Amino acid sequence: NWTMETFIDKEIARIRQICGEKGRVIGAVSGGVDSSVAAKLMHEAIGDRFHAVMVDNGVLRENEAIQVHKMLFEDLGVNLTVVDASDRFLTKLEGVEDPEQKRKIIGNMFIHVFEEEAAKIEAAAEKELEENPKAEAKGKIEWLLQGTLYPDVIESISFKGPSATIKTHHNVGGLLKDMKLKLIEPLRELFKDEVRALGRLLGIPAHLVGRHPFPGPGLAIRILGPVTREQVKIAQKADTIYIDEIRRAGLYDQISQAFAVLLPVKAVGVQGDKRTYDQVVVLRAVQTEDFMTADWYVFPPEVLRRISSRITNEVAGVNRVTYDISSKPPGTVEWL
Ligand code: XMP
């Protein structure tokens, strides 16, 4: 007689048992549904002995770090630190065009920043302990939280799927070795739709629970060519308008993933009585069951018309919007 309510109670009891009376748990959050649900569950189980860390890598969506802070910390009470490392990431990414290089830089820097933050939390814990022996109840960081789902568990034991080998996905395996952290994976028996149901029960807002996936390397793989602050701003603005209009049209839940891509080419246009020479934005939207294959999404024309007119009017530096009508295969979902 399995229900999500009994799952929550059992899982919280299991986490408490695994973690014992003391010892801290650290986990990265991204603003995605899996890491948010896992974080909230840990908070329910062990309160402030769980530390969530969000790394702002400079290639997040517009206002993403602020929104995650509001949701997880202010609304849900999760013990969260947001680390603004955008300068460090963007400096490392300067001049880099190769997509795998972008992924490696972001993956490695992420691990580095996350480890630094873990060390800071550990140092603060030791200081607290010196000042107040009662703080011993919290102890050292012993666990690393990961929002691994059942399909990831299966994939990693049985085969390396194309997404794992064609494009590098990063993880924080180094932490396990260097800090001798043990792994805790409260979602490892769940499918995505179950994680969403769990999220709703835990009070995660509906718009987050149903969110499209967002890749770890973020906008860096949606900006073709070099990633600069200016390019990030343009990509963020286009993305915000695109997603807002999809939501307003009530189409968000029919689409598996939608995003804007910024091309590194300039095209001629005309605005008022002036000739312009500006960049091109590509809109991508797909429907898929498992992201291994995907169909491009057929929009009502008036929605595309509104998106295009808003992007060209509101995003400086863009004078042309195109729609991607490629399926996977042969195209992948992302352009890089
Ligand atoms: P592709 O482009 O391989 O995308 O058809 C399939 C799904 O994987 C996501 N994706 C990534 N996610 N790091 C991630 O965390 C990555 O480097 C990465 N590359 C692709 C993509 O957004 C889509 O949901």
Side-chain angles (χ1 to χ4, degrees):
N1 190 355
W2 197 90
T3 64
M4 201 45 88
E5 281 87 353
T6 60
F7 173 85
I8 294 182
D9 291 342
K10 273 198 192 143
E11 193 54 30
I12 287 176
R14 195 183 75 98
I15 294 167
R16 285 184 182 147
Q17 203 190 8
I18 294 174
C19 297
E21 294 297 310
K22 68 177 196 187
R24 295 172 200 256
V25 180
I26 189 170
V29 291
S30 63
V33 58
D34 303 345
S35 64
S36 302
V37 170
K40 178 61 179 161
L41 197 57
M42 288 309 296
H43 179 75
E44 294 280 304
I46 61 166
D48 281 356
R49 281 166 60 199
F50 171 64
H51 297 258
V53 175
M54 167 141 188
V55 176
D56 183 343
N57 59 14
V59 283
L60 301 176
R61 290 200 164 114
E62 197 171 44
N63 296 326
E64 182 82 333
I66 293 166
Q67 281 165 15
V68 172
H69 185 265
K70 179 174 185 319
M71 186 230 356
L72 276 184
F73 177 76
E74 290 174 33
D75 299 345
L76 297 176
V78 174
N79 186 8
L80 167 73
T81 311
V82 176
V83 188
D84 180 1
S86 45
D87 279 331
R88 295 165 73 183
F89 280 87
L90 292 173
T91 303
K92 279 264 183 213
L93 283 168
E94 238 165 66
V96 177
E97 291 193 38
D98 176 68
E100 282 305 279
Q101 203 55 34
K102 288 178 178 176
R103 282 190 172 81
K104 279 203 189 99
I105 289 169
I106 293 172
N108 291 339
M109 182 60 88
F110 175 86
I111 292 165
H112 188 72
V113 172
F114 188 77
E115 284 180 339
E116 262 180 25
E117 204 49 41
K120 279 188 202 158
I121 290 169
E122 194 84 324
E126 269 165 31
K127 188 151 168 265
E128 191 184 339
L129 190 57
E130 275 168 27
E131 286 163 6
N132 170 19
K134 280 192 191 145
E136 205 201 339
K138 289 188 188 165
K140 287 179 154 284
I141 301 175
E142 293 178 20
W143 302 88
L144 175 68
L145 171 70
Q146 296 234 291
T148 319
L149 308 193
Y150 189 64
D152 310 325
V153 176
I154 296 300
E155 185 174 340
S156 65
I157 20 191
S158 62
F159 79 112
K160 283 265 167 270
S163 65
T165 47
I166 294 174
K167 297 177 182 179
T168 331
H169 290 223
H170 67 250
N171 61 57
V172 285
L175 267 182
L176 301 177
K177 274 191 243 127
D178 298 348
M179 291 185 70
K180 301 192 179 66
L181 298 187
K182 294 165 276 185
L183 204 56
I184 186 159
E185 298 178 308
L187 312 180
R188 62 177 291 123
E189 288 170 10
L190 304 182
F191 286 98
K192 195 80 183 187
D193 54 334
E194 295 173 320
V195 175
R196 295 202 169 107
L198 176 58
R200 281 189 283 271
L201 281 175
L202 289 170
I204 310 262
H207 65 89
L208 195 138
V209 163
R211 233 163 75 139
H212 297 169
F214 185 71
L219 299 178
I221 57 168
R222 294 175 178 176
I223 294 167
L224 277 70
V227 178
T228 62
R229 271 183 194 284
E230 293 69 42
Q231 293 285 283
V232 171
K233 285 237 169 63
I234 295 175
Q236 283 178 331
K237 285 199 177 126
D239 172 76
T240 299
I241 292 171
Y242 186 31
I243 300 300
D244 280 356
E245 289 298 334
I246 288 174
R247 284 198 189 277
R248 276 191 3 157
L251 302 174
Y252 190 85
D253 294 339
Q254 296 176 25
I255 298 169
S256 309
Q257 199 173 4
F259 54 89
V261 172
L262 184 58
L263 298 189
V265 292
K266 289 192 169 184
V268 172
V270 58
Q271 222 149 16
D273 51 4
K274 280 221 301 270
R275 182 182 181 278
T276 60
Y277 191 51
D278 279 333
Q279 272 178 274
V280 182
V281 160
V282 180
L283 307 176
R284 180 89 166 123
V286 296
Q287 285 179 313
T288 171
E289 288 298 323
D290 58 4
F291 292 92
M292 303 295 280
T293 63
D295 290 324
W296 58 275
Y297 177 72
V298 181
F299 270 106
E302 65 276 14
V303 178
L304 285 178
R305 195 188 315 278
R306 197 159 46 239
I307 294 164
S308 161
S309 116
R310 279 199 59 198
I311 291 177
T312 48
N313 279 311
E314 297 172 36
V315 185
V318 175
N319 65 2
R320 212 171 272 262
V321 176
T322 68
Y323 188 60
D324 182 354
I325 50 168
S326 321
S327 289
K328 174 181 180 177
T332 48
V333 174
E334 303 288 346
W335 270 50
L336 292 182

